[in-house]
Amino acid sequence: MEHGLVASILPEWNDVYQFILEPLPKMTSSDFQAYQAASIQAANSILRTAQDMLTKAHSNEEELVALAEKMSNDYQAFSSSVRGAIASTVPKVAASIETSAQALGHACLSLVKAAGIVQSSPNDNLGKKDLVDNSRIVSDKVSAF
């Protein structure tokens, strides 16, 4: 169940998932390097935002809404770069990138939902544990990318 103001950004996530799957015209392999670098930069931004969520969950829960919105924006930037990378590489690599990108998206969505629970119930220790666990999963997915 989504809680608090974080719930208002959740509908965007379905659009972002679908955005990754929208085809682009085939590009050259030299384009792949640029898209890959941009994807990694965006993934690192996602990681920093996840870490910021951990800090704020224990000190300033009201800032979780802004961080959830930032996570959404970070993932949108990531998905744009991933689309380019998918379109500029061979099908086997593209499928691997797509799978990893979607796994990261699911992890980010779970983290945003956990942030919503903490934001609306700051004294919920299970909610904070869920946020910590989901932050770790986001970190794992970024590392795997």
Side-chain angles (χ1 to χ4, degrees):
M1 174 180 232
E2 297 86 31
H3 296 278
L5 298 174
V6 172
S8 66
I9 67 166
L10 294 179
E12 297 173 14
W13 285 91
N14 285 334
D15 295 338
V16 174
Y17 288 142
Q18 294 306 313
F19 181 71
I20 289 175
L21 301 176
E22 291 176 11
L24 282 173
K26 233 11 185 170
M27 297 179 197
T28 67
S29 60
S30 62
D31 293 329
F32 177 75
Q33 293 172 345
Y35 285 115
Q36 183 182 33
S39 297
I40 291 169
Q41 184 177 7
N44 286 332
S45 184
I46 288 170
L47 180 59
R48 284 189 299 278
T49 302
Q51 292 168 343
D52 289 346
M53 286 178 151
L54 278 179
T55 302
K56 298 304 178 185
H58 297 288
S59 64
N60 201 354
E61 298 88 3
E62 57 274 1
E63 289 187 34
L64 288 172
V65 174
L67 289 170
E69 289 172 355
K70 183 173 179 344
M71 177 71 69
S72 178
N73 293 335
D74 289 345
Y75 189 77
Q76 287 177 350
F78 173 78
S79 66
S80 293
S81 299
V82 164
R83 280 186 70 217
I86 288 169
S88 59
T89 192
V90 297
K92 185 175 181 178
V93 173
S96 176
I97 292 170
E98 181 180 310
T99 299
S100 295
Q102 288 183 324
L104 177 56
H106 289 293
C108 290
L109 178 58
S110 294
L111 179 57
V112 166
K113 287 180 179 180
I117 291 168
V118 172
Q119 181 260 327
S120 66
S121 301
N123 296 322
D124 182 351
N125 288 329
L126 289 176
K128 286 183 180 181
K129 182 189 178 311
D130 193 35
L131 188 130
V132 168
D133 292 345
N134 282 296
S135 179
R136 182 189 42 79
I137 292 168
V138 167
S139 177
D140 291 347
K141 299 300 179 188
V142 168
S143 295
F145 188 77

